[in-house]
Amino acid sequence: MLIAGDSSAAGVGAPTQEEAFARPLARAVAARIAGAVSWQLAARAGLTSAALLEYLRSTPVEPADLAVVVIGVNDITHEVPQPLALRQRLHIVHWLQAHRGVQHVVFPALPDMGRFPALPQPLSWYAGLHARRANRAQARWAARHAHVSHVAMDGVTDARLFSEDGFHPAPALYARVVHRLAEHISAHMSAQMSEHMSEHLAALAPDGAAQAETPGRRVRAVRATSEALRSAPVRPTAT
């Protein structure tokens, strides 16, 4: 799993990576799938979507099955038009697929910027409005593209759970985001595993009629496949 993005992906606001974003997310996904998750972090403070693409191109990033891309706040603070920001994110998706073998890219929704303690009124109102618009646009965009998903963060942001700078999450807020993302990623992986198992069972059965006539055969095949899955290293695989 690759975690890429801006300062929030990097864990700014938490004292250590143990309490930040990337390591807890890998740990939470591993717990839900009851298997090992290898992970890497490629993040830097201040990146816009366009800057993240250039950063990934110039950074030694290992191949990955799944990527979590945390980006967008700096697009708003730099007043990047939303259609342009989404085009840049699509370029990120295509680059990750073509050059690092990533099969699925997860984009968390932007936080409710209207709740950032560091932003005074009317700036917080303005930022919050644009963050909500950006989230709606990203959700529609993700729905149109295969191998991309948008994860809503409604109800996650809490002004009491920010770090001292009033702009980045404190560990408690990172934990909320991690929980939401881990649930989404593990559900996606379970769906993909079920699909792969169905394809495997279809390959085992010579035809649908024979499988229907011998239901015990399908049960034995499921058990055999489950045993094989339990005996193999589990890593995020998604399409």
Side-chain angles (χ1 to χ4, degrees):
M1 180 169 63
L2 167 67
I3 296 97
D6 55 22
S7 55
S8 293
V12 174
T16 68
Q17 283 296 327
E18 291 291 335
E19 303 169 272
F21 179 72
R23 187 183 295 275
L25 179 60
R27 187 185 299 117
V29 172
R32 284 164 174 78
I33 67 172
V37 173
S38 59
W39 63 278
Q40 56 185 316
L41 175 62
R44 190 174 67 189
L47 295 180
T48 62
S49 294
L52 175 59
L53 177 59
E54 295 306 315
Y55 180 69
L56 290 172
R57 286 171 170 166
S58 61
T59 301
V61 177
E62 297 295 324
D65 301 304
L66 182 140
V68 178
V69 176
V70 182
I71 203 71
V73 168
N74 294 309
D75 288 323
I76 290 179
T77 60
H78 287 72
E79 298 186 324
V80 178
Q82 188 61 30
L84 177 58
L86 290 175
R87 284 198 298 273
Q88 294 296 341
R89 288 171 209 170
L90 187 58
H91 291 325
I92 291 171
V93 171
H94 289 163
W95 188 88
L96 289 172
Q97 291 173 330
H99 298 279
R100 294 299 180 266
V102 172
Q103 300 174 46
H104 193 84
V105 184
V106 176
F107 287 88
L110 296 181
D112 183 353
M113 296 181 68
R115 293 179 177 269
F116 283 17
L119 299 181
Q121 291 290 4
L123 182 58
S124 62
W125 172 86
Y126 177 84
L129 175 66
H130 281 270
R132 290 190 294 274
R133 288 176 175 172
N135 284 333
R136 291 194 294 269
Q138 181 173 272
R140 293 192 298 269
W141 167 79
R144 295 195 301 268
H145 296 282
H147 317 305
V148 176
S149 59
H150 165 90
V151 183
M153 290 290 160
D154 298 345
V156 170
T157 307
D158 188 324
R160 298 169 296 179
L161 302 180
F162 279 78
S163 63
E164 291 182 1
D165 67 9
F167 196 83
H168 294 95
L173 185 50
Y174 275 122
R176 286 188 173 193
V177 175
V178 163
H179 176 79
R180 183 72 59 87
L181 281 171
E183 289 292 316
H184 173 86
I185 292 170
S186 59
H188 175 78
M189 291 170 59
S190 296
Q192 292 303 118
M193 188 175 292
S194 297
E195 181 179 334
H196 294 327
M197 184 177 291
S198 297
E199 293 172 354
H200 180 70
L201 291 172
L204 290 176
D207 55 63
Q211 184 173 329
E213 293 169 0
T214 56
R217 175 180 182 177
R218 188 174 192 278
V219 172
R220 288 193 296 274
V222 170
R223 289 174 178 166
T225 305
S226 298
E227 290 297 329
L229 288 172
R230 282 199 292 270
S231 64
V234 180
R235 295 186 58 206
T237 55
T239 57

